[in-house]
Amino acid sequence: MMNIPRLALPLALAALAACAPSAQAPASTPAALPAGSAAYGQEPRWGMVIHGGAGTITREQMTPEREAAYRAGLERALRAGYAVLQRGGRSLDAVQAAINVMEDDSLFNAGRGAVLNAEGHPEMDAAIMDGSTLAAGSVAGVHHVRNPISLARLVMEKSPHVMMIGDGAEVFGRQQNVRMEDESYFITAPRRASWERQRAADSVRAASGRGAMAPEPAYSVPDERKFGTVGAVALDQAGNLAAGTSTGGTQMKRYGRVGDAPIIGAGTYASNSSCAVSATGTGEYFIRNTVARSICALVEYGHMPLAQAADSVVMRQLVRQNGDGGIIAMDRQGNWTWPFNTSGMYRGHIDARGAIQIQIFKQ
Ligand code: ASP
């Protein structure tokens, strides 16, 4: 019996490494410097990557006004995170600041603008993780918390727990003076209309006898899922990584369904030993494949460069299973990547000089 754990780890690592085309040593930084700083003449490598969800996002469906609104929303979030990093603040605070901006922006599926579950209610999940300590906090199935990522942070810092759910999480939030809102605050007219359309389409499908017992989620109108989960990963000037994710989940999910975002290692993970990851996509696949932790394990134990590790999980492993979505990731050298296997992903990067890059579609 005692030999099993000793054998299991190398086997699991070998299996993970086998997913990648080839293993190379990651780029290294000068040993005496914190990872986010720079030697004389070198560019500092700290910065932040964010996402605002992946899914069926095509140029044909996008109006110029809508695209401009998304770009503006992503830029506001990047600038909020950057302000923290620039003054020497913690990556954890930068991640929270950027996510708070997107939670308050009804364009995104998190906080205000969260999609509705099968009963027509918003039901939100969020997680945050500190790569320097492996401290983590998460909440699932909350209905009234204005900024779920802030409650996740409080679970991490003000409770002995990692994860809290539903009513208990909200009781804790009230004790911590977290801002609560009536349901009407979260539900926007476009989300309600989208939900109505999906409900109508699903009832037509059920009446025709197709798919009523389907094991896969009954997303009869895939475009209506409107991914828009938000996430951020950051490396600060002290060389510490952090990650966070906040979401309303998938539209028409069952009451009580929990996605990958609040599950540490699935949709959210950060460790200074490897990388920081935030995911978006159909959470069930990200949970089964422990996507965020798998990428970091390839970096940590497989010594794989970040981009290669992320690609092997998102573009190969998930694709083989039809697991749709994408991730953002950053390592301690400031390398970053944002692979996705859907038609688009709202995403942005800001570097130490404040230079911003925002993209939506496949390039
Ligand atoms: N990953 C989220 C979930 O499954 C949804 C999303 O990213 O759009 O809850």
Side-chain angles (χ1 to χ4, degrees), residues 35-342:
S37 66
Y40 180 73
Q42 278 184 351
E43 292 292 322
R45 304 295 309 271
W46 54 270
M48 167 175 247
V49 191
I50 62 170
H51 71 77
T56 313
I57 308 163
T58 58
R59 280 201 174 79
E60 299 71 54
Q61 289 173 353
M62 185 69 80
T63 63
E65 296 74 32
R66 205 167 161 74
E67 180 172 345
Y70 273 108
R71 286 181 176 276
L74 290 167
E75 182 168 342
R76 271 194 303 276
L78 283 171
R79 292 206 184 283
Y82 182 77
V84 175
L85 296 174
Q86 192 186 28
R87 61 171 181 261
R90 299 169 69 191
S91 50
L92 203 59
D93 292 323
V95 160
Q96 186 177 349
I99 290 179
N100 282 160
V101 168
M102 293 187 282
E103 285 176 334
D104 291 346
D105 186 336
S106 64
L107 276 180
F108 300 103
N109 171 20
R112 181 151 197 273
V115 299
L116 307 183
N117 68 11
E119 325 251 303
H121 303 294
E123 192 175 340
M124 298 165 287
D125 303 334
I128 193 161
M129 186 159 184
D130 179 352
S132 66
T133 58
L134 298 187
S138 81
V139 292
V142 293
H143 299 271
H144 302 100
V145 180
R146 184 184 171 108
N147 293 110
I149 197 74
S150 303
L151 182 56
R153 174 90 183 255
L154 288 164
V155 170
M156 174 175 117
E157 290 178 345
K158 305 282 184 201
S159 89
H161 309 304
V162 169
M163 188 172 198
M164 295 186 73
I165 61 163
D167 291 347
E170 294 205 350
V171 167
F172 173 70
R174 286 198 174 84
Q175 287 166 355
Q176 295 292 326
N177 296 317
V178 155
R179 193 156 165 191
M180 299 286 172
E181 302 287 353
D182 288 342
E183 191 173 275
S184 58
Y185 164 82
F186 299 97
I187 304 178
T188 62
R191 293 296 191 220
R192 174 62 75 193
S194 170
W195 183 85
E196 299 283 0
R197 279 195 299 274
Q198 187 174 349
R199 192 169 62 152
D202 284 350
S203 60
V204 168
R205 201 170 74 131
S208 74
R210 283 183 294 124
M213 300 298 288
E216 284 298 301
Y219 297 124
S220 52
V221 191
D223 289 351
E224 294 286 3
R225 285 202 286 161
K226 293 281 184 272
F227 288 152
T229 290
V230 306
V233 295
L235 174 69
D236 62 29
Q237 297 191 40
N240 292 317
L241 289 166
T245 314
S246 183
T247 186
T250 47
Q251 179 166 278
M252 212 54 86
K253 66 184 180 183
R254 276 183 179 274
Y255 170 47
R257 177 264 191 188
V258 176
D260 59 316
I263 296 179
I264 300 304
T268 308
Y269 191 77
S271 165
N272 278 4
S273 310
S274 50
C275 59
V277 177
S278 169
T280 172
T282 302
E284 283 69 13
Y285 295 93
F286 288 73
I287 296 171
R288 292 182 196 121
N289 289 281
T290 57
V291 164
R293 178 60 192 150
S294 291
I295 292 169
C296 292
L298 288 171
V299 170
E300 185 172 354
Y301 306 123
H303 305 295
M304 202 178 280
L306 183 70
Q308 190 183 336
D311 273 8
S312 83
V313 176
V314 176
M315 308 308 285
R316 301 177 67 192
Q317 194 172 322
L318 283 179
V319 167
R320 279 200 291 272
Q321 299 168 35
N322 296 322
D324 52 339
I327 64 106
I328 52 171
M330 209 164 183
D331 69 15
R332 286 194 89 199
Q333 283 72 47
N335 300 310
W336 57 276
T337 186
W338 52 25
F340 54 97
N341 59 37
T342 48

